[in-house]
Amino acid sequence: MKILIVDDESINRTLLANMLYNAGYKDCVEAANGVDAIELFVEEKPDLVLLDVVMPGLSGFDVAPKIRNLADDTYLPILFITALEDKESLVRCLEVGGNDFATKPFDRHILIAKIRAHLQIRALSDRIEQQNKTLRLFNQRVEREHAIVEHIFSHAIVNRPEVLSHFDCLLKPAETFNGDLFLCEASPSGGIYFVVGDFTGHGLASAIGALPVTRAFRELTQQGVSIAEITSELNRILLTFLPSDMFMAAVIGEINVAGNRVNLWQGGMPEVVVPAKTDIAFRTIPSRHMALGILDESELNTDYDTINLGHNEQLVIYSDGLIEIADANGEMLQEEGLANIIKAQMQEQGKVDAQSLFRQAKAHCSSSTLSDDVTLVVFNAKPLNISTFRNAGEGLPSVHEIALNASHLKQPDILQRILQLAGQCEGIQNIRSVLYTVLTELFNNALDHGILKLESKVKTDSEGFHQYYAERDASLKTLSHGRINIRIESLPSEGKVLLQVQDSGEGFSWDRGRTLSVQNNGQELSHGRGLPLIHALCEKVWFEDGGKKVLCLLDTEY
């Protein structure tokens, strides 16, 4: 530590220098007047200044503020050495920039103790300043990295305005980066695919998973794949890229070109709402799957719901950040509270508006900031108007035939493998997801009813579903014979795909499947929906060989 001694009396300077030397402070410099003191301070940059008050020329009162101005932001102790004892002079010592004072004749022990205390403060101040400097450099680096990442995100996660215009959406991040995600893309058939995702937590760590999800989503939608394929592929990617304690709750949807039918896979997200003015017409579709990035492919259920919408009927999808808004008592809005806001908005405006809905939900919050990211997406059911590029005439005609025996049918991933093979046919991009839906229904019908001889009417309630699938698993394990033949013929030049599924069962009375089964009170049954759905999706459906063979003709201009 270097100490500057300023005093016009040489004996005082010598006395102080010796005193400091004996106390271990051997690096001292001396100045006989104020001018020299200022020059030496600039040259030597001392750690502490002992300054006499009464000196010819510049007094200590004059020198102290000048030295203080020359010092950097680090703490610089200035101790006045004075014979003045009046309160006004001592107060002025502190007012002009001094940190302490010692009156002459001073006590050596007290003076050394004061010097040590101030030098300790000086050392602590130096350490804090160094830490602040390191922190400033770190913050600058983080800000730079954030700016780079934000630039990448702003260019990588972009929805086409033509597609985005069909949605009323709002995304509010809790921090700079959004852990929520909304993607939408046109399908080859002129419909729309979309994903509403909510990664674990919020901020940059959560948002980083959006990049591989976005890339995969773009590639898959260009191929016109099914919701099941998108779900399976995104789950695989998240299992690969994310740590075990992170996942993505998601709603994955496909809207048909007429804008009145939406296929939805929901995992770990709040219920989807179809608003209405009355409780009777108000519909909610709860999530029935786990979030993506948790289950292995063999455990993942890719079944989805189909929601039919009337003209201008709306579909509202939101992340849990919206319903977890809490009031001063910690009471969250929850799904019921949001439903009440939606019903009130429907009564007042006749429709749901994303901005208005968010403002009313935010009014429930006691804080000006959000504790979690919020995403709100509203779709109005109406025909879509999205330009698509079709080149079906350039595809090559092809035929794929698959013969499955009992050992094949026992394989848990056999249907996914069949669907992957079907996707290789050229000219089906416009109807790929439709083809997968039809093929899935036909395969499951052939296996469950043709081969395993199960009865769908068992599935009247949740207990019946459990019984049905328990019997299915048991029958599959003991299956020793049976076959299913699948034939897929693609005729791109004609815009047609012919699908044929034949099983070795006993057949069935197929004409009973033309209409949806209902109970006497008009309520839809939880079974018997497959064939009506196939009839709705295909241009033509017919049965041969006593119902053991079903043929479907699909129009690729669907």
Side-chain angles (χ1 to χ4, degrees):
M1 290 289 184
K2 182 179 292 187
I3 298 176
L4 171 62
I5 302 172
V6 184
D7 198 308
D8 61 322
E9 296 287 343
S10 60
I11 189 171
N12 288 338
R13 296 195 304 272
T14 301
L15 178 62
L16 287 170
N18 289 334
M19 187 186 302
L20 293 171
Y21 186 90
N22 293 331
Y25 301 106
K26 300 179 180 180
D27 191 0
C28 297
V29 290
E30 302 176 17
N33 55 63
V35 175
D36 291 346
I38 295 172
E39 292 178 354
L40 276 174
F41 179 83
V42 174
E43 295 174 4
E44 301 291 340
K45 294 183 171 47
D47 300 295
L48 182 143
V49 178
L50 294 175
L51 180 60
D52 188 19
V53 174
V54 180
M55 295 184 295
L58 294 176
S59 69
F61 293 140
D62 300 320
V63 174
K66 294 182 183 298
I67 289 178
R68 182 69 68 196
N69 290 334
L70 292 172
D72 54 24
D73 294 333
T74 306
Y75 176 78
L76 173 68
I78 299 178
L79 276 69
F80 278 100
I81 306 297
T82 178
L84 301 175
E85 294 184 354
D86 59 289
K87 292 182 180 179
E88 291 78 8
S89 298
L90 297 179
V91 169
R92 191 181 177 194
C93 288
L94 302 179
E95 290 177 342
V96 296
N99 299 96
D100 207 340
F101 51 81
T103 56
K104 299 177 183 177
F106 42 76
D107 184 288
R108 180 174 65 88
H109 298 289
I110 294 177
L111 179 60
I112 294 300
K114 286 187 175 184
I115 290 173
R116 284 177 178 165
H118 283 288
L119 286 177
Q120 287 176 355
I121 296 173
R122 163 82 178 195
L124 179 62
S125 178
D126 287 342
R127 187 157 58 250
I128 293 174
E129 177 58 29
Q130 185 60 41
Q131 291 172 345
N132 288 338
K133 182 179 179 180
T134 302
L135 183 59
R136 285 193 297 270
L137 291 174
F138 174 78
N139 287 336
Q140 290 173 2
R141 185 168 67 251
V142 169
E143 289 176 4
R144 172 59 179 164
E145 291 174 352
H146 277 195
I148 294 172
V149 174
E150 191 171 4
H151 177 81
I152 294 172
F153 270 67
S154 65
H155 287 77
I157 307 176
V158 179
N159 293 308
R160 289 169 51 194
E162 181 185 11
V163 181
L164 188 61
S165 64
H166 291 82
F167 298 91
D168 177 16
C169 60
L170 175 145
L171 284 86
K172 293 283 186 181
E175 298 180 0
T176 303
F177 295 98
N178 201 338
D180 285 1
L181 174 71
F182 175 59
L183 300 172
C184 58
E185 188 56 79
S187 68
S189 63
I192 293 177
Y193 292 103
F194 66 86
V195 172
V196 179
D198 181 3
F199 286 91
T200 310
H202 51 268
L204 179 58
S206 297
I208 203 69
L211 294 178
V213 167
T214 301
R215 180 175 180 180
F217 177 76
R218 301 292 186 218
E219 293 177 352
L220 291 168
T221 54
Q222 291 175 7
Q223 301 171 31
V225 300
S226 67
I227 293 295
E229 284 182 293
I230 295 177
T231 302
S232 179
E233 181 62 14
L234 294 186
N235 185 69
R236 184 193 64 80
I237 288 172
L238 293 173
L239 283 173
T240 302
F241 284 94
L242 295 184
S244 59
D245 60 341
M246 284 189 66
F247 52 84
M248 184 183 79
V251 174
I252 303 174
E254 180 186 13
I255 305 170
N256 68 341
V257 68
N260 59 5
R261 188 178 69 247
V262 184
N263 294 330
L264 279 185
W265 183 93
Q266 298 170 255
M269 289 283 281
E271 61 187 18
V272 171
V273 176
V274 180
K277 296 180 180 179
T278 65
D279 290 340
I280 296 176
F282 192 91
R283 288 187 282 164
T284 59
I285 301 90
S287 175
R288 57 190 180 100
H289 302 297
M290 294 183 68
L292 298 176
I294 299 176
L295 301 176
D296 292 332
E297 183 176 355
S298 60
E299 302 172 302
L300 181 69
N301 188 334
T302 58
D303 293 345
Y304 54 84
D305 298 300
T306 298
I307 302 172
N308 294 308
L309 302 173
H311 184 68
N312 280 333
E313 201 168 16
Q314 294 179 298
L315 188 71
V316 179
I317 305 168
Y318 54 92
S319 62
D320 59 6
L322 184 64
I323 57 175
E324 290 177 356
I325 289 175
D327 61 16
N329 297 322
E331 295 289 334
M332 294 185 180
L333 185 62
Q334 297 293 5
E335 293 174 334
E336 183 179 355
L338 184 65
N340 291 333
I341 294 175
I342 292 175
K343 291 173 185 176
Q345 195 171 99
M346 289 294 293
Q347 291 286 345
E348 296 172 3
Q349 305 178 15
K351 66 175 184 178
V352 172
D353 171 76
Q355 289 285 350
S356 177
L357 181 58
F358 173 73
R359 283 196 301 270
Q360 293 180 53
K362 186 68 168 57
H364 183 81
C365 184
S366 60
S367 172
S368 60
T369 60
L370 297 170
S371 60
D372 196 5
D373 306 313
V374 171
T375 296
L376 177 58
V377 178
V378 181
F379 171 72
N380 281 31
K382 59 183 178 180
L384 307 181
N385 183 22
I386 302 175
S387 59
T388 57
F389 176 74
R390 300 184 177 183
N391 59 349
E394 299 178 7
L396 298 175
S398 60
V399 175
H400 293 270
E401 293 192 9
I402 307 165
L404 305 173
N405 58 31
S407 63
H408 295 133
L409 298 176
K410 291 182 178 182
Q411 298 176 14
D413 63 340
I414 189 62
L415 181 57
Q416 289 299 321
R417 292 168 61 188
I418 296 170
L419 295 176
Q420 290 173 3
L421 182 60
Q424 297 176 13
C425 298
E426 292 193 27
I428 69 165
Q429 287 80 8
N430 294 344
I431 61 159
R432 184 166 175 171
S433 62
V434 174
L435 175 65
Y436 287 5
T437 300
V438 173
L439 182 54
T440 299
E441 288 290 340
L442 295 181
F443 176 83
N444 286 332
N445 282 340
L447 178 59
D448 291 7
H449 309 309
I451 304 298
L452 302 180
K453 299 181 176 60
L454 300 175
E455 289 289 343
S456 289
K457 60 185 179 182
V458 175
K459 298 183 288 184
T460 55
D461 52 28
S462 59
E463 184 177 346
F465 266 95
H466 180 75
Q467 177 186 345
Y468 180 88
Y469 285 105
E471 292 178 2
R472 187 181 190 273
D473 291 341
S475 298
L476 262 179
K477 289 179 181 178
T478 59
L479 185 66
S480 60
H481 65 277
R483 69 179 188 280
I484 296 178
N485 295 327
I486 300 173
R487 186 177 187 273
I488 306 168
E489 182 176 2
S490 175
L491 302 169
S493 60
E494 300 178 20
K496 307 291 182 184
V497 172
L498 180 62
L499 176 62
Q500 174 183 307
V501 177
Q502 182 177 13
D503 64 74
S504 60
E506 298 175 357
F508 72 106
S509 181
W510 57 270
D511 56 326
R512 290 183 300 178
R514 286 187 176 276
T515 57
L516 183 66
S517 300
V518 294
Q519 295 175 332
N520 294 333
N521 61 6
Q523 182 180 0
E524 292 184 1
L525 292 173
S526 57
H527 59 86
R529 301 168 181 264
L531 290 179
L533 175 61
I534 293 171
H535 278 283
L537 296 177
C538 298
E539 179 180 324
K540 183 179 179 182
V541 179
W542 69 99
F543 296 83
E544 297 178 356
D545 197 12
K548 290 187 287 186
K549 180 192 296 186
V550 58
L551 298 96
C552 302
L553 185 66
L554 294 91
D555 188 347
T556 59
E557 298 300 315
Y558 173 82

